[in-house]
């Protein structure tokens, strides 16, 4: 009896050890370095307390704007991806022609390289030679042609739009799996009672899909807080001063310029964001789960 209880613990010990050495320990060390003046400009390492965090949260720098950009990007893309993904999932679980083809087309952008997509959309959204503005001008809709990636008024929204286009198909696929796991008996009972399509969605599909929506929400939040490659490929944090800068691009630039202490402080702040937001999102989304 005791051997049965001990075996699962020993079975997981190797993976837990590797995870601790490769992920937990470097994370703890990084948080420790955020309280020092670590940089490439000096061989000395001094404890400076909360000075790096004061710099991060001071109004003088761009760090508060960077954190705001990160949270806005995370919130905006998470909400829109879930809404569009849910709409597509409901549509693509119906009996329509070429169903698998449509699912494949919608899922395809999510498997493409983010950096390659960034390069493609940099070309498409080019204000002078890009395909989008050329199309608008050719159709006599030149008023719709905008400096999508070179104007502070449009750059951040354009980056969010590209990321939503890329990630919606992935969310759709997860939600399709969730919808297909719902027993058809519920829908048959509702049909007998004369329920409409909207009533079936509201009282059966949506409540029973909440655990899956909780999963997609947490995945989107974690991705949004960690986003780097899409923004770096499209705008490199510009145009201007921190227009589309997010935490990970700021960390990358700080390490690139040898300001390691500030970089680790930003990483620590990002880690706290992820733990805090992820924990409360899971609690919020799963507290009213429907049990079958």
């Amino acid at each position: 009896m005791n051997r049965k209880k001990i075996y699962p613990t020993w079975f997981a010990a190797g993976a837990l050890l590797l995870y601790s050495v490769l992920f937990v320990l470097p994370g703890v060390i990084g948080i420790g370095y955020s309280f020092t003046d670590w940089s490439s400009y000096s061989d000395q390492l001094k404890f400076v307390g909360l000075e790096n965090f004061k710099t991060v949260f001071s109004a003088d720098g761009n760090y508060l704007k960077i954190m705001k950009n990160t949270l806005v990007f995370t919130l905006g893309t998470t909400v829109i991806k879930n809404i569009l993904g849910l709409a597509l999932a409901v549509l693509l679980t119906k009996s329509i022609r070429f169903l698998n083809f449509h699912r494949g087309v919608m899922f395809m952008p999510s498997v493409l390289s983010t950096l390659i997509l960034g390069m493609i959309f940099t070309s498409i959204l080019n204000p002078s030679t890009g395909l989008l503005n050329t199309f608008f001008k050719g159709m006599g809709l030149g008023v719709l042609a905008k400096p999508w990636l070179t104007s502070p008024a449009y750059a951040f929204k354009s980056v969010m739009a590209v990321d939503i286009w890329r990630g919606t198909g992935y969310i759709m696929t997860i939600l399709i799996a969730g919808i297909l796991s719902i027993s058809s008996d519920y829908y048959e009972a509702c049909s007998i009672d004369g329920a409409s399509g909207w009533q079936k969605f509201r009282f059966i599909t949506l409540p029973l899909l909440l655990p899956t929506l909780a999963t997609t929400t947490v995945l989107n939040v974690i991705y949004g807080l960690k986003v780097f490659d899409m923004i770096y490929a499209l705008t490199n944090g510009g145009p201007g001063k921190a227009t589309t800068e997010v935490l990970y691009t700021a960390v990358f630039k700080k390490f690139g310029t040898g300001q390691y202490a500030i970089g680790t402080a930003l990483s620590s702040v990002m880690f706290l964001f992820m733990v805090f937001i992820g924990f409360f999102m899971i609690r919020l989304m799963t507290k009213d789960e429907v049990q079958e």
Side-chain angles (χ1 to χ4, degrees):
M1 189 71 179
N2 290 332
R3 292 182 63 185
K4 291 182 178 179
K5 292 182 179 179
I6 294 172
Y7 176 74
T9 303
W10 283 107
F11 189 77
L16 183 62
L17 178 63
L18 284 174
Y19 180 80
S20 299
V21 171
L22 298 178
F23 292 94
V24 177
L25 183 60
V28 172
I29 293 174
I31 292 174
Y33 276 126
S34 66
F35 296 98
T36 68
D37 63 348
W38 183 32
S39 73
S40 62
Y41 309 112
S42 174
D43 295 332
Q44 302 296 322
L45 193 66
K46 297 179 181 179
F47 179 78
V48 296
L50 297 174
E51 289 301 318
N52 292 322
F53 293 95
K54 290 180 181 178
T55 301
V56 168
F57 288 102
S58 68
D60 297 332
N62 291 311
Y63 301 113
L64 290 178
K65 184 177 181 181
I66 289 170
M67 286 186 278
K68 177 184 175 183
N69 287 347
T70 305
L71 294 176
V72 170
F73 181 92
T74 302
L75 178 62
T77 56
T78 297
V79 171
I80 298 175
K81 282 180 188 177
N82 271 340
I83 292 174
L84 293 179
L86 179 58
L88 289 171
V90 172
L91 177 64
L92 294 180
T93 49
K94 305 296 183 183
S95 298
I96 60 176
R97 297 183 64 185
F98 307 113
L99 180 62
N100 290 330
F101 171 77
H102 294 305
R103 290 177 179 175
V105 168
M106 296 306 303
F107 180 72
M108 190 178 298
S110 63
V111 301
L112 299 176
S113 168
T114 306
L115 290 175
I116 291 176
L117 284 177
M119 295 171 63
I120 292 172
F121 276 95
T122 299
S123 176
I124 291 174
L125 300 177
N126 186 287
S128 55
T129 61
L131 180 63
L132 184 59
N133 281 353
T134 301
F135 171 77
F136 284 145
K137 293 173 183 177
M139 295 294 292
L141 300 172
V143 67
L144 298 178
K146 306 293 182 182
W148 303 107
L149 296 177
T150 57
S151 168
Y154 299 102
F156 196 66
K157 297 173 185 176
S158 299
V159 171
M160 290 179 63
V162 173
D163 187 77
I164 290 167
W165 174 83
R166 176 183 180 268
T168 297
Y170 177 72
I171 302 303
M172 174 204 73
T173 304
I174 298 175
L175 294 176
I176 285 176
I179 292 174
L180 293 179
S181 68
I182 299 174
S183 174
S184 60
D185 294 342
Y186 297 119
Y187 297 104
E188 291 174 3
C190 280
S191 297
I192 293 173
D193 291 337
S196 65
W198 166 249
Q199 289 173 324
K200 292 178 183 179
F201 173 78
R202 180 181 175 184
F203 296 109
I204 297 177
T205 304
L206 191 57
L208 294 177
L209 203 60
L210 280 180
T212 309
L213 282 170
T215 301
T216 58
T217 300
V218 172
L219 289 174
N220 276 323
V221 167
I222 293 174
Y223 168 79
L225 293 175
K226 292 170 54 181
V227 67
F228 167 75
D229 44 4
M230 180 65 77
I231 289 179
Y232 193 77
L234 286 172
T235 65
N236 194 23
K241 209 169 186 181
T243 300
T244 59
E245 195 86 83
V246 290
L247 280 172
Y248 249 120
T249 57
V251 170
F252 178 80
K253 290 182 178 180
K254 289 303 174 184
F255 272 89
T257 56
Q259 301 178 63
Y260 305 138
I262 294 293
T264 53
L266 285 168
S267 297
S268 301
V269 170
M270 180 184 64
F271 172 74
L272 293 176
F273 275 163
M274 291 176 63
V275 171
F276 180 82
I277 295 176
F279 174 78
F280 282 101
M281 284 300 300
I282 293 174
R283 290 290 299 271
L284 179 65
M285 295 293 291
T286 59
K287 68 178 182 179
D288 295 324
E289 284 184 11
V290 175
Q291 301 293 330
E292 292 193 42

